[in-house]
Every structure is written in structure tokens, then in C-alpha cells.
Amino acid sequence: MITEPEVTPELAAEHGLKHDEWLRILEIVGRTPTYTELGIFSAMWNEHCSYKSSKKWLRTLPTEGPQVICGPGENAGIVDIGDGQCVVFKMESHNHPSYIEPYQGAATGVGGILRDVFTMGARPIAAMNALSFGEPAHPKTKSLVAGVVEGVGGYGNCFGVPTVGGEVRFHSAYNGNCLVNAFAAGLADTDKIFYSAASGISMPVVYLGAKTGRDGVGGATMASAEFDDTIEEKRPTVQVGDPFTEKRLMEATLELMATGAVVSIQDMGAAGLTCSAVEMGDKGGLGVILNLEKVPTREVNMSAYEMMLSESQERMLMVLKPELEAEAKAVFDKWDLDFAIVGETIAEDRFLIRLNGEVKADLPLATLAGSAPEYDRPWEPTPAPAPLSDAPAVEDCAEALVELLGKPNLCSRRWVWEQYDNTVMADTVIRPGSDAAVVRVHGTKKALAFTSDVSPRYCKANPVQGGRQAVAEAYRNLSATGAKPLATTDNMNFGNPEKPEIMAQFVGCIQGIGEACEALDTPIVSGNVSLYNETDGTAILPTPTIGAVGLLDNLDQLIRVAPNDGDALILFGETKGHLGQSSYLMELFDREDGDAPHVDLEAERKAGDLVRALKAKGLLTAAHDLSDGGLGVAGAEMALAGGVGVKLASDVDLPEHAWFFGEDQGRYLVAVSRDDAEAMLEEADKAGVPATHVGKVEGDRVVLGNHSVGLAEARAAHELGFARMMG
């Protein structure tokens, strides 16, 4: 006999519930809640599941467009790509678990985001990840990097989806709180999409997949609080994943959907059985009864509390057409997975949980789902940063370039992505290491491009411009690959929202993201918010990661980053030599001062449209967007990709270090045959995009003005930087 603890205000506080929230629960229930009910409220009302500090601002984001089939609110967003097909995608965080247990935290982050995609009826075709770690010299960093990368690869490789892109950054602000943001995309037919809203009364509620254990109990609540010196005690809240089970679950789910038996279906993610059942019932305006003795478990004597809050992986919940129960069960038997009818839908607004006939929870379902607190947290706009007073010059820009290329934040990520299978399924056209990954839409001439971007230093200095820049850089990365940007997903990673300065960062970034998505026609269709990323009161940098998807109607539109020997190099966009918050300042002089670069959204759109139009006219051989490290780093990366030297001229109006390493936005370095250079400049002039002939592709050196470095030396610095950091 399991004895449940007495429910008190103190126990509610241990579950992350504020005193006023506890009083609200007493009002809703009309009595002291049971222990299981307290757990259910703590799961549904924590920050991770209820978005109580962020939904006021998330509602301001643009989420609609002619291409959007399904925006935020479902397991993933859905965008039309023509010919009766759609792309289903989302990004989600697994930050706290990955810091506590790097391998399983990262692995289950990948597993969760893949389930979000195939739950909608889509077969996953690509995965990405955006990772943020502490400074390389910090004693935990190397083990976190090794564990997270191994976890991402271990799950994705075994599941059989290509991991095609992403980003990795290092900064002391992440010393006590790494970030692991996982992205997945899949393909579906537009007439075969599955949603989570339950429908029909007395319909069977079916548990699918792996058995329920005690791993991950309280995981969502843990993810909604800061870390302190009790962090090791939180290890049992981290889930354990099994990619081979997930692979079988995907195949079984897609096969089940083809039988016509599925009324609605929901992934069991954060807060497990609780969140999935409540969301399905609430969206369908129905109540739900669950009989927990029918839930398949892998541990003995599990309590109702544990079963309702377990975050064991590879599980789904479904409402089934009863007449097709035998066919549905046969599919799951074939794939050696659990299939159990654990409850039913009811007309009454009620969430009734029983275990062996004993009522463990009896709550009004709609109120539970819809009355989570919503906070308008206090904030004041982030003060404008002081302008950059001086930016030290280097004597030799080529020497500085080699140093930059070898830094952990700018070197090649080959050490990371070579641990991922990025060509499984045989449709990867552009692998990691370019502006955006490109994956063929199987059996067609179409392809999809994927990228992930944010510059957290910009977001801290100027949240509005930082938010704009994250979207604009994603837009540039897609355009530089020849893809028309379609839509975005966001992963909002911030510190404690109860601190006005952190809330100000969040609000400012949301404003900038919204403005950029509106101006660039890339609505937000899905996303995730991760708050309380703090340890002992020290917050991470504001990190609103943007995942973006673009479409190539034909692979003939594809633009690569490698130029041809003999090409001319043209710089699109205006260069003023902006060095505030730049990689140049941070990496070479350990300085993070000045304002973030400002983003002209109209100029971004014109330049992106021009790059894609020039490819259509056959005037472009290669393109690369300018971001961290500016023109110098972009030129070197093109040279390394093409295996041929580049010569970049100085600018008469700017100091060399500002010209080569400034991070003005809205810029591309493009390659064109010398015979077509004049025609390209004319096209740019007609489009209203500033264009400058800045150099040529030749030889075996990277030349910056009057200084140069051998291509071999640049390659050694760039290719070996990450491995050197990892020892």
C-alpha cells in the first residue's frame, strides 16, 4: 500500500506553485487536492507547460500567411510546399536535462522533437540542433560538449534521420546552464495531417508505445526553476531514451494512421500522460477518464502520481475509432509495442483518474487546462548601450583572420557533425558546414533548406535589434542557398522572468522577431519557451534561437558557397564597419561593448530577392552571407570551400580592421564569372542594392589588402580549432 504525503501549502511550494496559485487551486477544487491532483496542477501550471510568463507576448508574433496550414498550438507547425505536400517542423529545448545528464538530456531532446513531427502524420527527413556551452576553459565544458554531441548523434543516428545543420557557441554566461535546442522537420501529404483535438463521446483513449517507468517524474517542473547547489539531486528527473523503440513507434504510428483508425493523437512529452490527456480533451471540448491500472508499466507498485507525471520516452496517446480497434492493435503487436485502452472520452467537463477502482484525481478538465495563471511580468525597456568609443586596430588583418578562424566560436564544426549521420535516407544535397542544409523532397525536383541562427551578444546589448538580426540572418542563410524563405520556428531561451531586466530582454527580442518575420514574410508557426536558465542567480545570454525553412522549387536554383577559380567577388549591402559586439572585439580583445548592428529589414529583403533572382538569370556561381567575422571570415570560408585563394581589396574610406571584420547586416559576398561582373552590378543597381566589386578568386592565398596568409595555414586553423579545444 502506497502512502501519499499530506498535501499542504509547503508541499505545493515544493512543487513550484506560488502561494496565490495554491489559493487558486483550492478555489477551483473546492477542497484540499489529493497528492495526485497537486502533481497534475504543478505539471499543467509550471512555466514549461503553461507559458504563464510568455503567452501575453507570444500572441503578438505573426503566425499566419498563405503558405501556413497550421500555426502554433499543435505538436508542430505546418507549411504548404505545393503539389499536395507540406513540411512539418518545430524546435524545442532540452536545456536543464542536458546540463544534469548530457547524453540522455540531449538524446531525449532529439527523440521528443521527432515525435512532435511524426505525431502530425509526417515522416521526419531532417534534424538540426543549436547548442550553447560555457567558455572552453571551464572545467565542465568539454564533458558537456562530448556528452551532448554523443547524445544527439546516438539518438539521431540510430533512429535513422539525417542531422544536417545547426550551430555551436561558447560563452561564459552558459558556464552553469548549457542550451540544447533540437529541431526536426518532416514531410506529409496535405490531406493526411493528424491533429490532437479529441472528438466523439465514449471513444477509447489508447496508450501507445513504450512502457511507463519512474524516469523523468517532475521533469517539466524541474525545467521551470533555476539551478542551485542541489543540482545533483535532480538527476532522476531526466528521461532515458531508446531510439530503436522510437523508430518502431514512428513506423507503427504512420502505419496506424493509414488504417483510418485515428481520431486524434498526441505525443507524450513534458508532463507525460497528464499534459497529453488534458490537451486532447481541452482542444476537443471533452472530458477524459483514465484507468491507470491499464497503463503498461516497467516498474512495480507505481503510484498514480508517478504514472501521471512520468516523462518516460517513446509514448503516445490516441483517441481511436472503436470499430477499428482490432486493426489498430494488430499494427502495434506487429511492431512489438504496447497498445492499451486506458480510458475514454466523456461529455462531462471532468478529468477523472482512477487506480484499481480508487479515485486519485477528479478535476474540471477545461478549468485545469485554461485557468493556468497568466502573468504580465514587470519590465522596463533595456537601456540603449553606450556607443563603441574605440575599436583597437590590428597591424596585420591576415594574421588576425587566422587567429579568428581557429577560435572555438568561428572554427569549423566538423568535429561535431562528423559524429552525426547526415546522409542517411540519401536525400541530403548540402551537408553541415554551409549557410543552410539542403534536403531533397524525395521523388521530386524540389528541395527544402534548413538553418538555425541567433547572436546572443547582440540580443543582450539591444534585444530588439538582436531579435531582428536572428530572423534576418536565417533569411540570409536560406537566400544564400537559393531557397525562398517560407516560415520560422523559435526557441526562446532566457533567464528568470521574475527579474525585470530579464523580462525586458524577452519582450524586446519578441518585438524584434515579430517585426522581422512580418517584413520578411516568414511567420512563426511553432516554437518553445525555456525560462529560468540561471544558476546561482547568473543568467544565460538571451538566446532566442530561430529555426527557418526555405523551398527550392527545383534543385537548379541551388547556390553553393564554393566559387570558381577566376571569378570576380561582389559585395552586396552597405558597409559602415560596425564593430560593436563583434566577434573581432570579443575573440581578439575579450571585449563585449557597443551597440548591436542595426537591421534594415527592407534592405534585407531586397538583397535576398536579388541573390535568388541572379541565380535564376544564371549570373551567380556562389554566394555566402556575412555574419560573425564579417567580410574577412566570409571570404576565407568561400576560399576554403572552393580550395582556391581569394584576394579582397581594402576600402579607401574605412580602416582595414573595420572593413574586413565589421558586422554590418544585410550583406552577401557573391561570386560571378569576370565576364558577367558588370551585368551583375547593373542588376544590383536596378534592384536598389548597394554593390561593390571587392576582389577575385585566384591563387593559393587569402589576401586582405596588403597582407595575406596561405590557404593551407588558414585551413589548418579552421579545421583543427574544435579538435584542439577538445584536447
Side-chain angles (χ1 to χ4, degrees), residues 685-708:
D685 186 51
K686 279 192 280 186
V689 175
T692 312
H693 190 163
V694 293
K696 53 189 174 183
V697 180
E698 64 178 24
D700 60 0
R701 301 184 71 77
V702 179
V703 181
L704 303 185
N706 296 320
H707 297 97
S708 71

Side-chain angles (χ1 to χ4, degrees), residues 146-364:
V148 165
V149 169
E150 192 179 347
V152 169
Y155 205 101
N157 295 356
C158 294
F159 179 85
V161 65
T163 301
V164 295
E167 51 185 338
V168 186
R169 73 179 51 82
F170 299 90
H171 192 282
S172 59
Y174 305 103
N175 281 350
N177 215 125
C178 66
L179 301 183
V180 175
N181 294 174
F183 169 99
L187 284 173
D189 292 336
T190 52
D191 61 350
K192 293 172 186 162
I193 298 167
F194 290 82
Y195 296 101
S196 59
S199 65
I201 296 163
S202 300
M203 302 292 268
V205 174
V206 185
Y207 174 111
L208 305 169
K211 289 178 167 52
T212 294
R214 291 189 172 94
D215 55 317
V217 172
T221 302
M222 174 273 292
S224 303
E226 295 181 39
F227 283 153
D228 54 28
D229 56 10
T230 65
I231 187 169
E232 282 303 314
E233 297 169 18
K234 295 181 168 70
R235 191 171 298 275
T237 62
V238 178
Q239 310 92 328
V240 177
D242 178 356
F244 297 108
T245 298
E246 176 116 334
K247 173 68 171 172
R248 287 184 288 125
L249 179 62
M250 178 192 72
E251 296 296 350
T253 301
L254 296 178
E255 191 174 323
L256 175 70
M257 289 167 169
T259 67
V262 179
V263 175
S264 61
I265 190 163
Q266 173 76 36
D267 153 47
M268 278 195 230
L273 196 50
T274 291
C275 207
S276 55
V278 171
E279 285 188 9
M280 290 177 81
D282 182 53
K283 287 175 184 174
L286 296 169
V288 174
I289 296 173
L290 294 178
N291 298 303
L292 297 185
E293 68 278 3
K294 296 181 178 177
V295 170
T297 57
R298 63 168 183 263
E299 299 182 51
V300 296
N301 296 326
M302 286 189 71
S303 67
Y305 177 96
E306 290 171 327
M307 281 193 264
M308 292 306 294
L309 297 191
S310 167
E311 293 183 10
S312 294
Q313 296 292 286
E314 294 85 44
R315 301 180 303 157
M316 319 272 266
L317 201 63
M318 172 182 74
V319 175
L320 170 76
K321 291 179 182 173
E323 67 274 15
L324 292 174
E325 179 189 334
E327 289 94 325
K329 187 175 187 309
V331 170
F332 274 72
D333 287 346
K334 168 186 155 184
W335 289 99
D336 195 21
L337 292 164
D338 279 296
F339 177 101
I341 295 175
V342 296
E344 64 176 329
T345 60
I346 55 174
E348 194 179 349
D349 175 23
R350 197 175 178 195
F351 192 39
L352 179 61
I353 309 299
R354 295 186 292 228
L355 179 58
N356 297 318
E358 184 183 345
V359 174
K360 293 294 185 178
D362 191 351
L363 299 168

Side-chain angles (χ1 to χ4, degrees), residues 376-400:
D376 187 359
R377 303 275 189 201
W379 63 282
E380 293 289 335
T382 302
L388 186 64
S389 55
D390 66 306
V394 290
E395 286 185 16
D396 185 329
C397 282
E399 205 173 90

